[in-house]
Amino acid sequence: MLHRSWRSRTAQALLGSALLALPLGALAQDEGGTKTARELRAEYDKDIKGKTIAFLPIALGVPLQDEWNRVLKQEADWRGLKYVVRDPNNNPAAMQQALTALVNDKPDVLIVQNPSVTLLMKELKRAEGQGTHVIQINMSSNYKSDAFVGADWVEVGRMIAEDVVKQCGTGSGKSGKVQIVQGELAAAASVDQIAGIMEVFNKDKAIKVVSNQAAAWDANNALNTTATVIQQHPDLCASVGFWGIMESGAAQAIRNAGKIDQVKVYASGEGSTLDCDQVNQGNFYKFLSYTATEQGHELMNTAVMLLQSKDKPGTKHLALYTRPLWLDKTNANGANCFALPQSQASSPVPLAPTADKK
Amino acid sequence: MTINASTAGERSQSPSLVTQLLKKPSQEQIVLLITLSLLVVFSATLAGFAHLANLLNLVRSISILGILGLGMGLIVISRGIDLSEVAIMAGSWSVALIEIQRGLPTFWAAILALVIALMIGVANGVMVAFVEAPPLFVTLAAGFVIYGAAFWYAPSWVVYAPKPEDAPYLLYLGHDYLFGIPVPIIVFALAAIGMQLFLARTSIGRFIYAQGDNPEAARLAGIPLRPLIVLEYVLVALLAWLAGLVWIGTTGSMQMGIVQGTYIFDVILVVVLGGISLVGGRGGVFSVVVGCALIGTLFNAFTIMDINSEVQNIIKGVVLLAAIVLDNWLHPRDEETARQGE
Amino acid sequence: MSIARVATSMDNGFATRLRASLSPRLLLSELLLKQWFEPVIPFTVMLALLAWFSATIPNYAGLENLLSLMRLYAEFGFVALAMAFSLISGGIDLSVGAIFAVCNFAMLYFLYVLDLPVWAAVPATLAVGAAIGCVNGLLIGYLKARPFLTTLVTLIILRASVNLLNERYATVFATNSVDSDVWDFFGEGYVLGVPINAATLIVVLLVGHLFLSRSRFGWHLTAIGANRKAARHAGIQVERMLLFTYVLSGMLCAFGGVFYAARQTSTDSTTGVGWEFQALTAVVLGGVSLSGGKGTVWRAMIGGIIIFLLTNGLVRMGIPGYVTSGAIGLILLAAVGVDVKWAKNRGKAIQKIYVNPARVPLAAAPSLLRGSSSPYAQNDRLIGAEAIGLDQVEGPEDVILDRQDRLYGSTRDGNIIRFSGPSFEQREVFAHIGGRPLGMQFDRDENLIVAVAGMGVYGIRPNQEVYKVTDETNRTWYKLNDDSRLRMADDLDIAPDGKIYFSDCTTRYEMTTNSLDIMEGRPNGRVVCYDPATRRTWTVLNHFYFPNGICVSHDGRSLLIASTSLCKVFRLWLGGPDKDKLEVVLDEIPGNCDNINRASDGNYWLALVGIRTPAFDLAMRKPGFRLRMVKQVPTDEWLAPGLNHGCVLKFTERGEVLESFWDPTGISHSTLTSMREHKGYLYLGGLENNRIGRVKLEGADPSWTGYEAYWGSKQRN
């Protein structure tokens, strides 16, 4: 079903060369604006319509991936693309199998979220070898595919660290004690983020990392660790967490210790309303969002670009880094926070007085 | 385990506890000794470890694990296992919290969570008792189903509880202090005392030991095994619900992701570590407590020392391995009396 | 008579007899008994999943996809197999996933960091797996640690170690590369069109199967899992076997690791995560028992494939992850629920459908009217029979006399009792064989050959030494039921060339339940021949209605066979122009015939164990009635032929009945099963009798003995 015939490929190649000439033609003919626009659209439709985009996240049901999925689906529908998504539900073996099957189906563009730098490498290479554009999101594997879209983890770490230094470093008059709550030590995103953070911290003698622990993306683990840390270091200055949902546990521990106004809680993440709520409730001092909604659009733009470029897959390595966005109480609202998907189930409890509260 | 572990239930009455301890400590006593010596070592070497506040924090950090462990301990004593315990906790409370967000009063939401939990408990119990499917399998599959259903109902990785000022009673158990002691500790203590009384002093509790020791003999003795099994799974679900209540009070949220994690391993670990044997009928509430104490002590000290979590795991594993080796070295099992599958 | 004709046409031809021995229910009951049929539920689930995904996912059943699935599955298959072995040994190995991850890392480390050649790296990796398994095995086997807790702890340690190592070496693996054709072949190669890792798995499975089911080690492994105490008492080295099991488990995981390393060249914190529980689920689902001692490699694979297909197929259908999770849970619950009920009720189902009565239209029974001209007319000729060894024998089914006029009886307690002396007052146990000795005959060397129900055919030398003649025959290739064992050797006779012909009256029941065979009324029996010259045993006549008495004719050219359930005597030609032809000699017999023996006048004696009644004859024509009877009525209240009569007939070779001897009271000689003529007397044996009877025969040759008639001067050919 996903197969493209050889003939349509040739046609595309021809159209591609025509496309390159278009801007010139558009400049020359002011009067034919409408016509050119129509031609442009026709060319675009020819390149895009009916093509297939496959999306393979680590799992759906997580705010970040759900938002990517929502944006991609919305855009694909509007652009007339076929959109396929597979949900391996955090099972790496299932993810491999799903990828193998997707690659065998030969989609035009494949968007993959790597769980590690090596796991999917070989299949991604095979996909590009057979003519599928591969876009990697938020973490590149050891294979450089056509495009990478996502946050630069070193930069994210550096940005947070710079703010922490501003708050706790030399001259701030604070203790300079910092706690770091990682997700998983082995995750590449964690490794890069730590690299960025330490790069900045090492420049300021006043900063002391008193705890650097992994909490397995679990708020309760983060809470237990942080409760001990705040116990041992009542003068803690800042807590940095690698994921909003997990760091909310750390914030809770600090709040339980009555120190939420003293300890600056930083977190990075996708920037859903959950994160914004934490900011607005004062649990997070600042939140560095890598804007999942924007990333979703950038993924689609990249895909469209790749489809229109007509280059053979595997010939270039585009990189589109997302601009991280600082959220604090002033701006943690509206378009800066994306909404979570709503339950498909209606309330089974007739008692629920839904009307009076909302 | 050997014979002296089988008398775990009556240990409190035993007059020769000290002599018995000196002669041949049981597994839970070994674990207790290791824990105590670790406490001494850490108190001497780690600044800030021996503070009362830190020790309270240590116990608080294992309260939820402990409450779940009590349920798991109960079911393991009865020769079952419940791998869906964490899923029951997360699933029932996710739905309840979503309903709170939709406007359900917190009291009714708590009741809703309780009803869901108990219904799952009944379903597990019926599958084990009446369909006679292996408990390991039933509860593993139940975990998948609960995860799927709860996610369908509450499609988000995490559901936040209302703010403490909006739902003071709901969050009280996880969040507040009573006489300077964190309430989760008190909840764990009460649950443990209640479970101890139930297991040691009620006839149903003794029936559970009887069932775990020899189900066939228990049945022939006239114990209604099937209703008893259902009751056990309902009790596990009840404790899962209670643990969830403490959990949301503590973290202010419920995270479905923990169902997929290794949390259930930790629960099983504290249970079997303390001497509750998987073949049933052995160990008691105290086993769960000492198991939790060892894990909590290690975790707390590791956090103070700021040890890399993977290294933590290795050290934890080596300590546990030492406990296993010590136990088996001190009283090698007599294969003539040991039960099959132990 | 029309009924008689039907009967005649019904039981002669092999094809008709074969057809009569078959029925769907019967086939099913025998299928249910097969051990390989036990995992039928998981097997069906596996096929159903495959069919379902083939129908819903395009190209799923295509060769390309199937090969790709095999490649993806193989490593998990190794891990599941490792789990299966540990379960069968009565333990559990929760560290399989972690060992797999460590071995995957080790393989990459050996190749990419130490630059070892592939031929060295592979054994080194297997050694790593074996070493880790060895640690588990030492703890569990020699320190007697509890497997669940021990392997849970090793899982924690190994997992953390491999994560630490990964962090350190991830970049090295990423930047280096190995240029080796062998390595590429391990990752992407095919053997005979099958992916290399799957091909290896198949070979390992075959070896594993032979190991587990055919080798001493495999039996020991199963034994320590089934009953460790008994295994220890039997002298099995439990500690060593356990060590070996966990080493094996570690090595199998290492196999998985090697192929995964070759295929993926990836090591990270997700490698093999959660595989311990997936593998556990898989093998338990396949039917490997959690309590040990039960399971095959195939069952482990069936379970593994189900788990693999479920995740693979559901994810590929593009449904949300939580639906996948819920669906997997529900399918597992349903599968295990059905399987448990199946396992529990299989035995009951077999019991319910094992007996399959068929319609047996017997020929009309002749009149027994006392005083009539019929040769069957009842008389009192046996009432006055002299009792030998009264209350000293326990059911002498067959009686025989030797050249020294000593009398032998085969009794219920597994003995051959010998009476000697002028009036047989001297009793001794001639030999103890065991089983239920039935028919007897002396061979040329005066060895007493005995058919023993439940054991086969045995011989007793004159010096009282017991030896086995044969206890199995060739298996019927088209039968599900393995019928090579002799279940109920009943009577035997010896041809002039020394061949022993004997009846094995049922292949579906035992001595204690043989009345069910009569109730079933199907040709389940057979006539078997043993040739002492070649020591070969083979079935001469298969699918025969309860063959009982066997007698080689006086001329030695044919065999007379009595069918108890059909109430007929047949002749099987052993040679001559009609060789192998079966014909009816005696039809319309008034009772259920038992042993046949030679008479001094060239005719034959036939014992009737039961006397037909109209009610029983009717029951034989009503299979449904008999089925309800055997199911709903206790055995002692079943309808049966008249057993409180004793009757012996004499008939000619052409099927003419000459006379009959009756004990209509049944007090001294009921259920007569045997009679022997010896020097003018007829000796009587009965299945339930407490004596051996003797009557004087008027006008019989006073010098005629059985031995002389077979091997000496009284032969008639």
Side-chain angles (χ1 to χ4, degrees):
Chain A
M1 151 176 87
L2 297 178
H3 285 256
R4 283 187 307 188
S5 71
W6 174 84
R7 200 175 296 169
S8 75
R9 262 172 210 246
T10 336
Q12 275 168 20
L14 289 171
L15 283 166
S17 41
L19 190 72
L20 286 174
L22 268 175
L24 296 171
L27 276 175
Q29 269 188 300
D30 273 352
E31 297 299 313
T34 327
K35 191 180 164 225
T36 316
R38 213 173 289 148
E39 279 172 9
L40 199 57
R41 178 68 196 218
E43 301 288 349
Y44 165 87
D45 282 348
K46 216 161 231 170
D47 286 340
I48 303 300
K49 272 218 166 128
K51 295 289 168 60
T52 305
I53 289 194
F55 176 43
L56 182 65
I58 294 171
L60 288 178
V62 190
L64 175 64
Q65 285 95 315
D66 273 348
E67 183 64 6
W68 288 340
N69 183 35
R70 186 188 66 80
V71 174
L72 284 171
K73 170 124 194 34
Q74 200 181 46
E75 287 230 17
D77 286 349
W78 173 69
R79 291 174 201 266
L81 281 155
K82 276 198 208 105
Y83 178 63
V84 179
V85 62
R86 296 283 180 263
D87 179 2
N89 201 21
N90 276 317
N91 178 345
M95 189 170 188
Q96 269 177 30
Q97 294 164 21
L99 181 61
T100 305
L102 279 178
V103 173
N104 287 347
D105 286 345
K106 298 189 176 63
D108 300 279
V109 179
L110 184 60
I111 302 172
V112 172
Q113 181 192 15
N114 289 298
S116 78
V117 292
T118 49
L119 185 70
L120 306 176
M121 195 174 75
K122 277 196 167 179
E123 283 296 312
L124 298 183
K125 207 186 226 167
R126 181 167 79 94
E128 297 221 314
Q130 67 166 26
T132 298
H133 295 288
V134 173
I135 306 175
Q136 301 181 71
I137 169 103
N138 258 356
M139 186 164 79
S140 177
S141 71
N142 286 337
Y143 170 70
K144 283 193 199 117
S145 65
D146 276 354
F148 168 79
V149 173
D152 174 357
W153 296 109
V154 181
E155 185 189 23
V156 167
R158 206 186 295 132
M159 281 176 76
I160 292 179
E162 276 161 3
D163 207 80
V164 169
V165 167
K166 218 180 286 167
Q167 294 296 328
C168 302
T170 315
S172 66
K174 303 270 178 59
S175 67
K177 287 184 175 174
V178 180
Q179 177 209 15
I180 299 173
V181 185
Q182 300 196 40
E184 235 173 276
L185 294 180
S190 285
V191 173
D192 287 352
Q193 223 166 322
I194 278 290
I197 288 176
M198 296 319 287
E199 184 185 310
V200 176
F201 280 180
N202 288 340
K203 287 182 196 146
D204 191 332
K205 291 252 160 55
I207 298 288
K208 284 191 289 288
V209 177
V210 293
S211 165
N212 182 1
Q213 293 285 315
W217 312 116
D218 174 0
N220 192 44
N221 280 347
L223 183 138
N224 284 335
T225 308
T226 311
T228 305
V229 169
I230 196 87
Q231 185 73 47
Q232 294 298 309
H233 308 281
D235 55 346
L236 188 71
C237 179
S239 171
V240 178
F242 284 12
W243 193 37
I245 290 173
M246 175 176 68
E247 183 66 4
S248 74
Q252 193 74 34
I254 292 167
R255 182 177 281 280
N256 290 349
K259 296 211 154 59
I260 195 72
D261 297 323
Q262 170 209 315
V263 181
K264 307 274 183 266
V265 181
Y266 290 85
S268 57
E270 61 273 6
S272 74
T273 47
L274 295 176
D275 300 324
C276 292
D277 286 348
Q278 292 288 320
V279 171
N280 291 327
Q281 285 169 16
N283 286 342
F284 293 168
Y285 167 69
K286 264 185 166 182
F287 185 86
L288 189 59
S289 162
Y290 38 82
T291 58
T293 317
E294 295 300 318
Q295 288 185 325
H297 289 297
E298 273 166 15
L299 277 176
M300 185 50 84
N301 291 342
T302 312
V304 168
M305 230 156 60
L306 286 171
L307 285 174
Q308 293 188 67
S309 74
K310 319 284 187 331
D311 288 334
K312 240 185 101 197
T315 47
K316 59 183 150 328
H317 309 298
L318 304 177
L320 281 86
Y321 290 102
T322 342
R323 182 178 69 91
L325 176 66
W326 275 117
L327 295 179
D328 55 23
K329 278 189 179 170
T330 59
N331 65 345
N333 50 44
N336 288 338
C337 317
F338 66 86
L340 296 175
Q342 288 305 301
S343 171
Q344 286 138 25
S346 57
S347 171
V349 188
L351 288 160
T354 36
D356 58 9
K357 193 139 185 191
K358 298 266 157 89
Chain B
M1 285 308 316
T2 53
I3 301 146
N4 58 5
S6 66
T7 57
E10 285 89 39
R11 185 176 308 97
S12 46
Q13 287 99 339
S14 164
S16 59
L17 177 66
V18 179
T19 45
Q20 182 241 329
L21 182 71
L22 287 174
K23 234 163 68 188
K24 224 181 186 188
S26 71
Q27 185 176 350
E28 69 188 46
Q29 288 159 346
I30 290 170
V31 173
L32 185 64
L33 282 176
I34 292 178
T35 313
L36 290 175
S37 41
L38 282 175
L39 280 173
V40 171
V41 170
F42 290 144
S43 302
T45 53
L46 283 181
F49 180 82
H51 290 170
L52 179 66
N54 183 55
L55 293 179
L56 284 177
N57 182 45
L58 185 160
V59 183
R60 193 204 50 74
S61 70
I62 51 153
S63 296
I64 296 174
L65 189 65
I67 297 170
L68 290 170
L70 288 174
M72 186 66 85
L74 170 88
I75 205 73
V76 172
I77 287 172
S78 81
R79 216 186 255 197
I81 196 165
D82 192 343
L83 298 179
S84 67
E85 200 180 10
V86 171
I88 296 175
M89 174 179 85
S92 62
W93 279 105
S94 290
V95 172
L97 291 183
I98 281 277
E99 281 305 319
I100 290 176
Q101 288 175 7
R102 288 174 172 183
L104 186 71
T106 49
F107 175 76
W108 290 111
I111 297 293
L112 174 68
L114 181 63
V115 169
I116 294 172
L118 296 186
M119 272 165 40
I120 298 168
V122 170
N124 276 342
V126 166
M127 276 301 286
V128 174
F130 292 91
V131 182
E132 295 175 13
L136 183 100
F137 214 90
V138 169
T139 55
L140 185 79
F144 290 143
V145 177
I146 297 165
Y147 176 84
F151 228 105
W152 167 76
Y153 193 80
S156 67
W157 201 245
V158 60
V159 191
Y160 283 99
K163 273 176 258 173
E165 45 281 21
D166 294 339
Y169 299 112
L170 181 73
L171 304 185
Y172 175 78
L173 290 187
H175 174 254
D176 251 312
Y177 290 82
L178 190 68
F179 313 123
I181 300 169
V183 179
I185 297 180
I186 297 171
V187 176
F188 177 37
L190 289 178
I193 291 168
M195 182 62 81
Q196 170 66 28
L197 290 177
F198 172 70
L199 280 178
R201 296 301 166 100
T202 67
S203 46
I204 297 183
R206 302 316 298 171
F207 285 175
I208 292 175
Y209 274 98
Q211 180 205 347
D213 208 42
N214 189 337
E216 196 49 32
R219 196 180 65 80
L220 292 174
I223 297 172
L225 224 47
R226 285 178 163 172
L228 185 66
I229 291 172
V230 176
L231 175 75
E232 288 154 10
Y233 283 92
V234 168
L235 284 176
V236 178
L238 180 70
L239 282 158
W241 172 82
L242 184 63
L245 190 56
V246 177
W247 179 297
I248 57 165
T250 311
T251 61
S253 65
M254 184 48 79
Q255 206 175 335
M256 275 312 282
I258 53 165
V259 177
Q260 290 185 333
T262 54
Y263 198 56
I264 193 73
F265 274 119
D266 293 341
V267 178
I268 297 176
L269 190 65
V270 296
V271 169
V272 290
L273 183 60
I276 295 183
S277 164
L278 283 168
V279 295
R282 314 283 162 88
V285 168
F286 195 61
S287 315
V288 179
V289 175
V290 294
C292 285
L294 177 54
I295 298 291
T297 306
L298 287 174
F299 176 76
N300 187 278
F302 288 151
T303 312
I304 293 176
M305 292 187 274
D306 193 27
I307 294 176
N308 174 318
S309 61
E310 303 295 356
V311 179
Q312 272 188 32
N313 275 334
I314 294 180
I315 299 173
K316 187 168 87 182
V318 170
V319 171
L320 298 183
L321 216 50
I324 295 171
V325 169
L326 192 61
D327 177 32
N328 288 292
W329 180 65
L330 280 177
H331 35 86
R333 284 190 301 152
D334 181 0
E335 298 253 329
E336 289 303 307
T337 53
R339 206 157 51 210
Q340 186 77 25
E342 199 167 2
Chain C
M1 304 255 335
S2 67
I3 292 169
R5 237 181 293 124
V6 168
T8 315
S9 65
M10 182 176 129
D11 34 51
N12 270 352
F14 176 80
T16 40
R17 290 203 320 270
L18 175 63
R19 211 177 307 134
S21 75
L22 296 174
S23 95
R25 263 169 65 110
L26 195 143
L27 200 69
L28 184 63
S29 71
E30 289 189 345
L31 199 61
L32 287 178
L33 267 178
K34 300 311 285 187
Q35 213 166 16
W36 51 257
F37 197 69
E38 266 180 49
V40 65
I41 300 285
F43 188 72
T44 316
V45 169
M46 182 179 83
L47 292 186
L49 282 177
L50 203 56
W52 181 35
F53 292 136
S54 305
T56 46
I57 301 171
N59 300 325
Y60 201 81
L63 182 67
E64 192 191 349
N65 184 58
L66 288 181
L67 289 178
S68 142
L69 286 181
M70 282 165 87
R71 194 183 285 287
L72 290 167
Y73 170 72
E75 291 99 19
F76 179 67
F78 282 111
V79 173
L81 196 59
M83 177 63 87
F85 276 119
S86 66
L87 279 187
I88 293 170
S89 80
I92 194 168
D93 191 350
L94 289 177
S95 61
V96 283
I99 298 179
F100 166 76
V102 169
C103 291
N104 172 51
F105 172 84
M107 185 72 205
L108 293 174
Y109 179 78
F110 290 144
L111 278 180
Y112 287 73
V113 180
L114 298 186
D115 290 323
L116 290 182
V118 177
W119 61 262
V122 172
T125 307
L126 294 181
V128 168
I132 300 172
C134 186
V135 172
N136 280 336
L138 285 173
L139 285 170
I140 294 163
Y142 286 90
L143 262 175
K144 302 181 174 39
R146 294 179 288 170
F148 190 94
L149 186 57
T150 310
T151 53
L152 184 59
V153 170
T154 43
L155 153 71
I156 294 172
I157 298 177
L158 292 174
R159 177 60 65 191
S161 311
V162 81
N163 281 349
L164 279 178
L165 291 168
N166 279 341
E167 243 179 294
R168 188 136 164 231
Y169 290 101
T171 44
V172 184
F173 297 149
T175 44
N176 289 14
S177 69
V178 166
D179 194 25
S180 156
D181 290 342
V182 184
W183 187 233
D184 291 344
F185 177 71
F186 269 43
E188 279 145 23
Y190 289 87
V191 175
L192 304 172
V194 178
I196 168 77
N197 54 0
T200 314
L201 178 63
I202 292 168
V203 172
V204 168
L205 281 177
L206 284 171
V207 173
H209 172 71
L210 290 178
F211 162 76
L212 200 57
S213 62
R214 302 285 187 280
S215 81
R216 176 189 297 260
F217 268 121
W219 280 65
H220 286 182
L221 201 151
T222 313
I224 61 169
N227 190 337
R228 191 155 297 171
K229 210 195 289 181
R232 179 180 301 284
H233 290 184
I236 296 172
Q237 302 234 315
V238 174
E239 289 85 2
R240 200 192 293 165
M241 269 323 290
L242 281 173
L243 174 64
F244 169 79
T245 306
Y246 287 90
V247 169
L248 179 68
S249 161
M251 290 244 305
L252 285 169
C253 296
F255 267 106
V258 166
F259 284 113
Y260 189 83
R263 181 160 68 83
Q264 289 287 334
T265 325
S266 159
T267 169
D268 56 40
S269 59
T270 66
T271 313
V273 159
W275 279 24
E276 52 282 336
F277 260 102
Q278 272 182 44
L280 185 61
T281 317
V283 297
V284 174
L285 185 65
V288 177
S289 167
L290 268 175
S291 48
K294 189 165 159 275
T296 63
V297 297
W298 311 117
R299 290 193 190 187
M301 279 310 105
I302 291 173
I305 292 170
I306 291 176
I307 297 292
F308 172 78
L309 285 180
L310 262 181
T311 12
N312 180 280
L314 287 174
V315 169
R316 279 175 65 180
M317 283 167 85
I319 56 180
Y322 62 87
V323 180
T324 311
S325 166
I328 289 177
L330 286 176
I331 292 173
L332 290 184
L333 274 180
V336 78
V338 172
D339 196 38
V340 162
K341 286 288 157 204
W342 158 257
K344 196 182 164 195
N345 291 313
R346 199 171 72 108
K348 284 188 200 163
I350 294 169
Q351 265 186 1
K352 263 195 180 146
I353 63 172
Y354 194 72
V355 182
N356 281 277
R359 188 168 181 273
V360 185
L362 297 169
S367 162
L368 309 176
L369 192 65
R370 190 177 276 265
S372 68
S373 60
S374 155
Y376 297 117
Q378 262 190 10
N379 51 53
D380 298 328
R381 293 165 80 177
L382 294 184
I383 284 185
E386 177 189 347
I388 300 169
L390 185 65
D391 291 331
Q392 290 185 333
V393 279
E394 177 82 16
E397 203 269 353
D398 199 6
V399 291
I400 196 164
L401 292 105
D402 64 10
R403 298 175 77 182
Q404 291 79 36
D405 302 332
R406 291 174 295 196
L407 175 62
Y408 298 77
S410 53
T411 60
R412 203 203 309 276
D413 36 22
N415 291 332
I416 306 298
I417 305 288
R418 180 162 74 179
F419 292 97
S420 44
S423 55
F424 305 109
E425 66 285 344
Q426 196 124 15
R427 175 190 184 271
E428 65 180 312
V429 174
F430 176 57
H432 178 80
I433 304 177
R436 174 58 164 119
L438 299 171
M440 300 183 282
Q441 187 57 277
F442 282 106
D443 69 7
R444 193 184 293 275
D445 306 325
E446 294 181 66
N447 300 315
L448 184 62
I449 311 294
V450 189
V452 187
M455 287 176 72
V457 176
Y458 284 74
I460 307 165
R461 300 210 166 86
N463 64 3
Q464 306 187 335
E465 187 192 333
V466 177
Y467 64 96
K468 186 178 90 178
V469 176
T470 179
D471 62 358
E472 60 181 337
T473 176
N474 55 319
R475 182 179 172 171
T476 313
W477 61 268
Y478 50 84
K479 265 182 149 180
L480 277 171
N481 186 3
D482 183 353
D483 60 354
S484 56
R485 186 171 69 88
L486 298 176
R487 284 205 184 219
M488 194 179 160
D490 197 326
D491 192 19
L492 58 85
D493 208 358
I494 304 173
D497 54 4
K499 282 184 186 145
I500 302 169
Y501 290 91
F502 59 97
S503 57
D504 185 28
C505 56
T506 173
T507 52
R508 276 171 60 76
Y509 299 91
E510 306 285 344
M511 178 67 206
T512 47
T513 51
N514 73 65
S515 57
L516 278 171
D517 196 281
I518 306 254
M519 288 301 164
E520 187 164 273
R522 284 184 190 276
N524 300 325
R526 56 195 167 172
V527 176
V528 185
C529 177
Y530 169 77
D531 187 353
T534 57
R535 297 173 163 271
R536 206 167 72 82
T537 313
W538 70 98
T539 303
V540 182
L541 190 63
N542 212 344
H543 304 297
F544 197 81
Y545 287 90
F546 210 106
N548 197 331
I550 295 282
C551 186
V552 176
S553 63
H554 287 284
D555 59 6
R557 292 199 304 191
S558 65
L559 196 64
L560 296 172
I561 307 163
S563 162
T564 305
S565 57
L566 283 185
C567 305
K568 286 181 195 188
V569 174
F570 294 81
R571 183 205 308 278
L572 180 71
W573 288 98
L574 299 177
D578 290 332
K579 187 172 188 298
D580 293 336
K581 206 181 134 190
L582 187 69
E583 60 189 32
V584 179
V585 178
L586 209 54
D587 208 347
E588 303 188 16
I589 305 177
N592 302 88
C593 33
D594 213 292
N595 288 2
I596 309 174
N597 285 313
R598 292 182 187 176
S600 57
D601 52 3
N603 294 319
Y604 300 90
W605 295 105
L606 171 69
L608 298 186
V609 66
I611 306 303
R612 288 165 61 184
T613 65
F616 191 74
D617 285 2
L618 181 63
M620 290 314 281
R621 290 200 294 273
K622 305 279 184 199
F625 165 78
R626 272 179 287 142
L627 183 63
R628 287 193 295 282
M629 181 176 78
V630 298
K631 269 191 189 169
Q632 296 166 11
V633 180
T635 319
D636 59 340
E637 292 180 17
W638 288 357
L639 210 53
L643 296 173
N644 49 357
H645 290 64
C647 179
V648 171
L649 308 174
K650 191 194 259 182
F651 67 96
T652 68
E653 203 148 313
R654 275 173 306 159
E656 213 177 314
V657 177
L658 302 174
E659 55 177 333
S660 60
F661 292 67
W662 287 87
D663 174 4
T665 64
I667 292 169
S668 47
H669 289 286
S670 58
T671 57
L672 276 178
T673 49
S674 173
M675 70 269 105
R676 294 276 176 181
E677 189 178 337
H678 184 78
K679 295 193 173 166
Y681 283 92
L682 191 65
Y683 293 82
L684 305 161
L687 191 62
E688 309 284 342
N689 293 349
N690 60 349
R691 70 191 77 188
I692 296 170
R694 178 165 92 148
V695 288
K696 178 105 182 83
L697 294 173
E698 298 303 325
D701 177 356
S703 63
W704 190 91
T705 67
Y707 185 85
E708 293 300 324
Y710 277 85
W711 315 114
S713 54
K714 302 284 183 187
Q715 294 182 44
R716 295 168 175 265
N717 44 10

